[in-house]
Amino acid sequence: MPKLLNPCVDPIFKALFTDNSPEAHKALTSLLEAILEQKVSNVELLPNELSGECIDDRQTVFDISCLLNDIEPVNIEMQSINLYEAFDKRAEYHVAHLLNHVVKKGTTWDKIPKSYQISVLDFIYDDKHTDVCSHYYMKSDNGSTLANRLNVYFIELPKVLNISDDISQLTTTQKWAKYFKYANREDKQEYVKNLIQSEDGIMNAQAVLSKISLDDAMWIKQNHYFEENNRTETIKSDSF
């Protein structure tokens, strides 16, 4: 079996779900349904770069930008470094920016859609909780919520390593987390085969990963990613 790219690498993760193939579309739909715990009738990929309101605004480039069920914006991204220890602030900015770009002039307040920022993190954001998937939204001190238009999901991949590999005991989101961590590990290929047999979405993702792993350009992107991350980590360490 040929070696596979690492889906926890940002450009590989992006290619895995935006490849121009039915398998990539099915994998993306399955991942969204697992994390959001709802049926997805339609997913449309959108341009991944959003402009600011004016020339001085911060520009935003997403990994995977899409429209859910024809109305709800979603950004999905893979992140391996909690730069400046401020990923929570970044996520809040992204989800607000998403919503701002889909609400058309004349939309009545009762028609404001939900927006979703889904961040797959290859680091621990909150070590106080063991859940692999966490959902954040606005609520008051007494627990009352607003309209839940702004939704942030964190999938903390390292946490899944502390969960049993017994596939029959895993949620679909946990299966996806196991897949991301194990997909390119040679010592876990038998387990990955069992994951694939248990979940069609992961089976489609594996088909795409196998295809793009034959592309030399993707391996170059992966190597460049690791080089850049090493530089970032060095800069981060020097700043403390």
Side-chain angles (χ1 to χ4, degrees):
M1 183 176 179
K3 289 186 176 181
L4 297 176
L5 293 158
N6 186 347
C8 294
V9 168
D10 185 272
I12 309 308
F13 180 82
K14 178 178 178 179
L16 189 61
F17 294 103
T18 61
D19 181 69
N20 186 23
S21 65
E23 291 81 7
H25 186 268
K26 290 175 183 176
L28 177 58
T29 302
S30 172
L31 179 67
L32 286 167
E33 289 185 336
I35 295 171
L36 301 181
E37 297 184 326
Q38 62 177 270
K39 185 67 177 174
V40 173
S41 62
N42 185 53
V43 180
E44 176 190 354
L45 290 175
L46 299 175
N48 66 341
E49 187 168 354
L50 296 182
S51 62
E53 294 299 308
C54 64
I55 194 170
D56 292 331
D57 283 353
R58 182 183 180 93
Q59 305 300 299
T60 301
V61 179
F62 295 142
D63 280 355
I64 305 168
S65 178
C66 55
L67 201 61
L68 190 66
N69 301 329
D70 299 319
I71 189 171
E72 298 173 336
V74 184
N75 171 44
I76 313 172
E77 61 178 44
M78 172 68 71
Q79 189 70 27
S80 61
I81 298 175
N82 189 3
L83 194 59
Y84 307 118
E85 301 298 323
F87 198 83
D88 45 2
K89 297 176 181 64
R90 172 176 170 167
E92 287 184 347
Y93 172 77
H94 278 175
V95 73
H97 203 38
L98 272 173
L99 185 60
N100 189 48
H101 273 73
V102 297
V103 178
K104 306 296 184 184
K105 183 178 180 179
T107 302
T108 56
W109 292 117
D110 61 316
K111 301 300 182 184
I112 301 295
K114 288 186 176 182
S115 58
Y116 303 93
Q117 166 63 39
I118 298 173
S119 299
V120 183
L121 309 178
D122 204 12
F123 60 84
I124 299 295
Y125 166 72
D126 185 354
D127 58 8
K128 297 182 182 67
H129 301 284
T130 59
D131 293 343
V132 172
C133 181
S134 301
H135 177 202
Y136 301 87
Y137 49 92
M138 295 177 67
K139 60 173 146 181
S140 69
D141 292 340
N142 67 5
S144 298
T145 64
L146 290 179
N148 296 346
R149 300 300 91 179
L150 302 176
N151 293 269
V152 173
Y153 289 82
F154 286 165
I155 314 300
E156 298 169 83
L157 296 182
K159 289 182 177 179
V160 83
L161 300 179
N162 297 322
I163 296 175
S164 168
D165 278 350
D166 184 351
I167 293 175
S168 67
Q169 300 300 312
L170 299 177
T171 66
T172 307
T173 300
Q174 289 170 342
K175 289 180 183 180
W176 272 106
K178 292 278 189 184
Y179 176 73
F180 291 137
K181 293 299 289 181
Y182 292 161
N184 72 318
R185 283 180 48 174
E186 293 184 25
D187 63 324
K188 288 290 186 178
Q189 289 310 301
E190 191 61 37
Y191 183 75
V192 170
K193 287 181 182 178
N194 293 330
L195 273 178
I196 289 169
Q197 292 171 2
S198 74
E199 187 62 40
D200 287 344
I202 297 176
M203 180 183 296
N204 283 289
Q206 180 74 351
V208 179
L209 186 63
S210 298
K211 182 179 79 169
I212 64 176
S213 293
L214 300 176
D215 186 346
D216 289 342
M218 295 305 298
W219 286 96
I220 292 172
K221 286 185 178 182
Q222 177 167 287
N223 290 337
H224 285 171
Y225 173 86
F226 284 130
E227 291 170 2
E228 183 60 32
N229 264 18
N230 287 337
R231 282 194 290 270
T232 302
E233 286 286 9
T234 301
I235 293 171
K236 183 179 175 183
S237 327
D238 291 345
S239 66
F240 288 100

